[in-house]
Amino acid sequence: MKEYEIAIVGGGPAGIMAAIASNSKNVVILEKNQELGKKLLLTGGGRCNITNNKPIKKLLDSYDNKNFLKHSFYTLTNEMLLELFEDKGMKFIEEDNNRLFPESENSKDVLKVLKEYLKDVEIIYGFDVYDISKEDDFFYINDSIKASKVIVATGGMTYKETGSSGSGFKILDCKRTKLKLGLAPLIVNYDFEQIAGITLYNVKVSYKDKSYLDDVLITHKGLSGPAILNISNEISKDLDYDLLENYNVELDNVKIAIDLMPDINKEKLLSKLTKDFQAKGRVLLKNYLKFHLTNSFIPFFLHHTKIDGEVKLGNVLKEDKKKLVDALKGLELEIIGFNSALSKVTIGGIKTSAIDSKTMEYLDCEGLYFAGEILEPVGPSGGYNLKIAFSTGYLAGLSASKSI
């Protein structure tokens, strides 16, 4: 039986960062796949949105569990995180909404740098953990690994092909919330075959009292893009289900609204349309809409709203003009499901109330730590969830090594 000071279960961003922070030569990463960071390689569409570069206080305000995350975020700040990569020659670019990417826009380069910090860390690939027990101040993993401290960073229950199969929840009977799909594309009750690939830029998507301003991508199955992924979190939180019991989530009478012109309110839009219709009376409505909507989206918009695009502006009835304004400011779409196979994160996990936020240690078991997506907190799209993984992983690794 091999013996280690620290055994880290899971070689994703949280597990890797825990190993880096431990700064010990007697650490092992137990990875079920044949490679590290399989899910990391997929983040940001393969470009790796490494973090969100908002000032730390504003960054924390983006999470429901900001008080729990505060200590880890200040322990590994964005400045410290980026310095780790910059010391290896990596440069970054910042895009809209403070999204930070490597200059190469290749997630493989991020993983390569992380691996450079693991030269003194033993990594055992193809190691599927099925049992963790504790006896006489030591942990025993699969009856083949003995460790003083264990850090569990096995991820959540989404993107299962990357190894995030919920194994951490099944191995350990720890206090947890219900697990739900997060940042998932939405399936709609319409045929989008003809308009798949269209992007609606900078629109506002709303569900009940929640809304997000960002891009929407129309796919063959439905809707994706940052605004949709974020609103999917609100829909998912609103439903009563648990992925460990049922992975096929059914939606009933769920609707979202898309404000296609968020920069102008209804009253001003109505006034603008009234003036334009009078001044350009001979122009067909479908041609006029080209000034406000993506050209290839207009046929669907007119068909869905049952508005006649062949009518001249001067002949548009008052009630149809109001109907047009309502549709432009709140195009309503019915959602019939989540594209669960593409859900990017898991909502929920090990309860924050069961974890010491200053160390990431499980309160009911000395020497057992949790980090990353297995924890309860979740953030929106845009680097927020990798930030959780890196910071909680770093704090867990630092705390475990200090306690030895």
Side-chain angles (χ1 to χ4, degrees):
M1 181 176 291
K2 290 188 175 181
E3 186 172 338
Y4 301 89
E5 288 183 343
I6 301 173
I8 300 168
V9 186
I16 292 173
M17 194 56 72
I20 293 171
S22 68
N23 196 29
S24 171
K25 292 187 178 181
N26 193 18
V27 175
V28 65
I29 294 178
L30 307 174
E31 171 54 49
K32 70 191 298 185
N33 294 316
Q34 297 301 323
E35 57 184 320
L36 295 178
K38 201 169 180 180
K39 189 172 181 179
L40 176 68
L41 293 175
L42 300 176
T43 59
R47 298 170 63 218
C48 194
N49 186 180
I50 195 166
T51 189
N52 190 282
N53 207 28
K54 282 181 180 177
I56 194 164
K57 289 183 179 179
K58 289 186 177 180
L59 186 63
L60 283 164
D61 285 339
S62 304
Y63 304 92
D64 292 336
N65 311 88
K66 69 176 184 178
N67 289 333
F68 173 80
L69 294 170
K70 185 175 181 180
H71 190 78
S72 65
F73 277 29
Y74 275 99
T75 301
L76 180 70
T77 63
N78 274 342
E79 290 77 15
M80 293 169 62
L81 173 65
L82 299 182
E83 189 176 339
L84 281 172
F85 292 93
E86 289 167 345
D87 285 348
K88 300 293 184 180
M90 181 171 283
K91 296 180 180 180
F92 297 92
I93 53 174
E94 186 169 338
E95 298 187 357
D96 58 308
N97 297 322
N98 307 104
R99 301 171 206 191
L100 214 60
F101 296 86
E103 191 176 58
S104 67
E105 300 187 71
N106 192 333
S107 58
K108 291 181 180 178
D109 294 332
V110 173
L111 184 58
K112 181 181 177 181
V113 169
L114 291 172
K115 284 182 175 179
E116 289 183 29
Y117 284 101
L118 299 178
K119 291 178 180 177
D120 293 325
V121 175
E122 184 176 350
I123 304 170
I124 303 178
Y125 294 101
F127 194 104
D128 195 356
V129 175
Y130 58 81
D131 181 64
I132 299 176
S133 60
K134 187 178 183 184
E135 184 180 339
D136 297 331
D137 296 328
F138 284 98
F139 291 90
Y140 296 88
I141 302 174
N142 290 11
D143 294 325
S144 60
I145 300 290
K146 180 180 179 182
S148 299
K149 311 290 177 183
V150 170
I151 300 172
V152 180
T154 50
M157 278 203 71
T158 53
Y159 266 162
K160 289 186 176 183
E161 66 273 18
T162 66
S164 297
S165 60
S167 59
F169 303 108
K170 300 168 186 175
I171 299 165
L172 296 162
D173 184 21
C174 293
K175 299 170 184 175
R176 68 172 181 89
T177 68
K178 291 182 177 181
L179 308 178
K180 301 181 180 184
L181 298 169
L183 299 183
L186 299 176
I187 302 172
V188 297
N189 194 25
Y190 313 97
D191 182 8
F192 278 170
E193 189 70 28
Q194 299 301 315
I195 58 173
I198 293 174
T199 298
L200 305 176
Y201 293 100
N202 203 39
V203 296
K204 185 166 74 171
V205 181
S206 301
Y207 168 74
K208 295 186 176 180
D209 62 340
K210 300 289 186 179
S211 63
Y212 289 91
L213 182 68
D214 215 313
D215 299 343
V216 169
L217 173 65
I218 298 174
T219 71
H220 287 86
K221 285 191 174 184
L223 301 169
S224 189
I228 292 298
L229 297 181
N230 287 331
I231 211 68
S232 77
N233 278 7
E234 307 304 332
I235 296 171
S236 195
K237 290 175 186 177
D238 207 27
L239 303 173
D240 185 19
Y241 70 100
D242 189 345
L243 290 176
L244 274 177
E245 299 172 359
N246 178 27
Y247 208 84
N248 297 313
V249 186
E250 295 182 3
L251 303 185
D252 182 35
N253 196 32
V254 173
K255 294 179 180 179
I256 64 170
I258 303 179
D259 184 346
L260 298 162
M261 300 179 66
D263 293 333
I264 186 171
N265 62 36
K266 274 190 175 184
E267 292 73 20
K268 289 183 178 179
L269 179 57
L270 180 59
S271 176
K272 175 176 173 53
L273 294 186
T274 300
K275 291 178 182 178
D276 286 351
F277 286 13
Q278 290 173 351
K280 305 173 183 179
R282 294 185 178 182
V283 176
L284 294 179
L285 177 59
K286 67 178 184 181
N287 293 330
Y288 170 77
L289 286 175
K290 293 177 183 179
F291 295 102
H292 302 293
L293 299 177
T294 301
N295 191 21
S296 47
F297 181 70
I298 293 172
F300 171 80
F301 174 82
L302 292 170
H303 176 75
H304 181 69
T305 55
K306 296 180 173 60
I307 296 174
D308 184 6
E310 300 294 335
V311 67
K312 293 181 179 179
L313 297 184
N315 296 330
V316 175
L317 299 175
K318 184 177 180 181
E319 55 267 31
D320 286 338
K321 186 164 55 179
K322 182 181 181 304
K323 185 178 178 182
L324 180 62
V325 170
D326 288 341
L328 288 169
K329 292 297 294 177
L331 183 68
E332 193 173 80
L333 298 174
E334 183 183 356
I335 307 302
I336 59 175
F338 298 105
N339 190 343
S340 56
L342 297 180
S343 173
K344 291 175 170 52
V345 298
T346 303
I347 296 173
I350 304 299
K351 288 185 175 182
T352 56
S353 59
I355 301 288
D356 183 346
S357 65
K358 299 292 178 66
T359 62
M360 293 296 121
E361 188 173 27
Y362 192 65
L363 294 173
D364 288 348
C365 184
E366 185 179 349
L368 178 64
Y369 301 79
F370 288 93
E373 196 180 338
I374 194 171
L375 293 166
E376 179 182 351
V378 66
S381 172
Y384 295 90
N385 291 291
L386 262 183
K387 172 62 178 173
I388 294 175
F390 285 133
S391 287
T392 59
Y394 188 88
L395 179 58
L398 195 66
S399 302
S401 62
K402 284 183 176 180
S403 68
I404 292 174

